[in-house]
Amino acid sequence: MTSSEVKQKIEKLRQLINKYRYQYHVLNKLEISEETLDQLKYELKKLEDEYPQFIAANSPTQRVAGKALSKFKKVTHSARMLSLEDAFSEDDMREWEDRLKKVLPSKKWHYFAELKLDGLALSLVYRDGVLVRGATRGDGAIGEDVTQNVRTMESIPLSLETYRDSSRSMISRMLQNKEVEIRGEALISKKGLINLNHTQTEKGEKPYANARNLAAGSLRQLDPKIVRDRHLEFIGYSLLASDGVTQHHEEHEVIATLGFKTDPYAKICKNLAEVFEFHAHVASIRESFPYEIDGIVVSVNESDLHARAGVVGKTPRASIAYKFAPKEAITKVNDIIIQVGRTGVLTPVAVLEPVRVGGVTVSRATLHNEDEIRRLSLKVGDTVIVGRAGDVIPDIKKVLIELRNGHERSFHMPKKCPVCDKSVSSDARGIIVRCTNKACPSLKRERIYYFVSKKAFDIDGLGPKTIDALLDQGLIQDASDLFGLLEGDLVPLERFGEKSASNLVGAIAGSRKISLPRFLIALGILHVGEETALDLAEHFGTLDRVAGASEEEILKVKNIGSIVARSIVDFFKDAHSKVFLEKLSDEGVIVGKTPKRKPGKLTGTSFVFTGELESMSRDAAKARVRELGGDPSETVSRETKYVVVGVSPGSKYAKAQKLGITVLDERAFLKLVE
Ligand code: IVH
């Protein structure tokens, strides 16, 4: 090869590698394998070693982590890196708008709303299109030069190019600018944190507490090798030297075109009402977003108005951070009470001094069982941190033992059921405590609630309050009595008129015909949830065959083990159950037959769903899986083939990642079941 051929080849390789780097680290997709990409890099490295005169500052080989520094150089920012004022409520936001109206009289504007990414601010300077400096915010005026570290971050282009189609002339102008500065957030993804913590625990070291602190700590590492291994990422949100740009949203467009990741959700809002809608939407996708977000940033979109509104202290007037309600709060445990559930399990519940967490006031936190109380070393009277992840019931994260005053008292599980005063039994490990009285009023009540619930008889307009009233008036003893109720029985009850009474009687009558799986769920057999009910129904086909099955026969049903089989046999053998089933049949309840499931393309494939799907309900998704012969399940195990993750997923998502199970997002799932 002649020297000019070598130069050309080097240039082509550089471009190719850069194209794939962009695909992989910015767009999250890759058309070739990682190994092939490594091979290309290796080839480039070999050529450059031989012809060092052709190494350019923006060559992918220049991402290698160099020597450790002894300390960072200080740098002066071209324009101060400001911070944002916080708002926590819609009222705070309205006050902000009122203040803006005063400084921008008789002006009209739009807002631009974007995610508030929870990492740390980073400034990137490109001179003649080449990355020359990366700097932290520091005190806003003077930051630290972390260029060495920034060069290892693959989501940051080493040179500015047009990575996407854009008809905008300002892009080409931008590329001709002497100096372009892009600011954004440096982050470690949630998955990245999980992976790094995995390595930490394997090494016997303490896991990192959160992605934000880890990202901040990493960027300020003197040794760039450490930074490289922590996979920091960058998402851009503002552009300096933005001649030709008249609106903030255009900065996002330009940044994306120049090859950076940007916020995919950011949008223009016409007014605060739309901003509030955006805030609520972001709160709902928060858990499923790959990075931590702690609110939204709202700015006046028109750049001239933004500038005119000016800066107060360290914050611009025309931008604000509208934060999410904190997910944790400090409060006091005033008491620990016991709840008796449908299956008779006694659950200790902490009665809290009411406190706002995650946007709602909470006064109860589940303690699960005595073991959990011991693990927390919780006493009545303790000051605690309560948390609420997603929509789940709040729980106690930590007891602040240092704040005890000596008046706290220990708690022990009762030896008798607090509702019926009969004795309780506990399982072998002493963790699950149950009321043994089949006629315990609390159990009875909970069973009826369950019987009419959505997944069982699904009787509209029959909530806990009405059931309580019916029980208290002696109008029903168990769920079968519901079918004998007349309008005249209901009318005298509080909150009932003739119309609502007739509606309810109609709804009850309309539920008389029921499918076998729903009926099995309604019976509330210990350990028989939705999936087991379906498996039983598909295996046996009719209620009589389920009820008459022996333990051995039930063990042949897929996914059913001996504890569940025993529980089913015990239920149908029990004299109370027999009477109950007979009463239901006398009241005209008709249980349908279930056909055998046909095999399909998903036969033998098990799915677990977590989080909400956007295009269909979770039940519809499960039904679709079943139609294709697949197996929806509630628990993630090594047998699980796919975990489908929607909006606000729960702990199942983390478990799937831990077990290395294939995770599908909604789109991938839809493709699979098309
Ligand atoms: S705009 C005036 N947009 O929040 C500051 N900041 O206190 C301009 N942040 O230090 C920042 N996501 O690191 C902006 N989409 C976003 C952001 C964002 C996170 C951080 C930023 C800044 C802090 C504000």
Side-chain angles (χ1 to χ4, degrees), residues 82-84 114-118 120-121 137 184-185 237 297 316:
L82 301 170
S83 56
L84 294 170
E114 56 196 290
L115 304 182
K116 184 168 188 308
L117 304 156
D118 199 8
L120 75 155
R137 177 172 178 275
E185 205 77 353
Y237 51 65
V297 175

Side-chain angles (χ1 to χ4, degrees), residues 583-654:
K583 275 174 77 182
L584 284 170
S585 151
D586 291 347
E587 291 289 356
V589 170
I590 298 167
V591 184
K593 286 184 188 154
T594 303
K596 282 250 179 294
R597 192 185 320 181
K598 290 190 205 73
K601 73 166 182 179
L602 295 181
T603 298
T605 315
S606 77
F607 287 74
V608 173
F609 291 85
T610 176
E612 237 166 272
L613 300 178
E614 277 167 359
S615 61
M616 60 170 93
S617 71
R618 217 196 287 189
D619 285 338
K622 285 182 184 173
R624 183 73 191 126
V625 165
R626 269 184 226 107
E627 261 171 44
L628 296 171
D631 237 335
S633 156
E634 285 305 315
T635 39
V636 179
S637 71
R638 294 196 187 278
E639 271 72 63
T640 310
K641 179 81 195 284
Y642 297 116
V643 172
V644 182
V645 176
V647 171
S648 301
S651 58
K652 289 173 194 169
Y653 181 35

Side-chain angles (χ1 to χ4, degrees), residues 170-200:
M170 74 177 118
I171 299 289
S172 50
R173 226 176 313 140
M174 204 67 62
L175 291 173
Q176 282 153 26
N177 263 340
K178 192 94 206 102
E179 193 164 294
V180 176
E181 180 172 350
I182 285 151
R183 290 180 180 174
E185 205 77 353
L187 308 139
I188 287 176
S189 68
K190 293 178 193 169
K191 210 168 165 184
L193 178 70
I194 292 173
N195 291 342
L196 286 165
N197 275 342
H198 195 71
T199 321
Q200 281 296 101

Side-chain angles (χ1 to χ4, degrees), residues 46-61:
K46 248 181 23 194
L47 271 178
E48 285 184 345
D49 282 349
E50 221 174 306
Y51 301 90
Q53 67 269 37
F54 297 136
I55 301 178
N58 63 353
S59 168
T61 56

Side-chain angles (χ1 to χ4, degrees), residues 340-345 442-443 446-447 450 521 523-526 528:
V340 186
R342 173 178 60 83
T343 56
V345 175
S442 174
L443 250 114
E446 296 282 340
R447 280 222 194 98
Y450 192 70
I521 293 170
L523 293 179
I525 306 167
L526 194 57
V528 177

Side-chain angles (χ1 to χ4, degrees), residues 389-435:
D391 281 331
V392 297
I393 319 159
D395 64 352
I396 292 179
K397 302 258 178 250
K398 192 177 163 62
V399 176
L400 300 175
I401 293 176
E402 297 79 359
L403 298 182
R404 280 189 182 155
N405 60 14
H407 294 298
E408 297 75 19
R409 62 187 162 80
S410 303
F411 170 84
H412 298 286
M413 286 298 275
K415 300 274 172 274
K416 287 189 168 162
C417 170
V419 177
C420 69
D421 214 32
K422 295 269 160 46
S423 61
V424 296
S425 72
S426 47
D427 68 340
R429 286 155 64 217
I431 293 174
I432 298 172
V433 178
R434 265 205 181 84
C435 172

Side-chain angles (χ1 to χ4, degrees), residues 19-81:
K19 174 180 131 185
Y20 289 128
R21 173 201 62 79
Y22 174 70
Q23 271 187 5
Y24 188 38
H25 292 281
V26 179
L27 304 180
N28 296 325
K29 56 179 188 208
L30 189 58
E31 283 167 13
I32 58 168
S33 72
E34 272 185 79
E35 288 76 18
T36 314
L37 183 53
D38 284 342
Q39 263 172 30
L40 290 172
K41 284 185 190 165
Y42 178 73
E43 206 172 314
L44 177 63
K45 175 92 179 45
K46 248 181 23 194
L47 271 178
E48 285 184 345
D49 282 349
E50 221 174 306
Y51 301 90
Q53 67 269 37
F54 297 136
I55 301 178
N58 63 353
S59 168
T61 56
Q62 300 308 298
R63 285 193 189 274
V64 288
K67 274 214 204 84
L69 300 172
S70 57
K71 72 188 225 302
F72 293 113
K73 264 196 330 221
K74 298 274 183 243
V75 297
T76 306
H77 294 297
S78 61
R80 246 188 332 150
M81 289 184 81

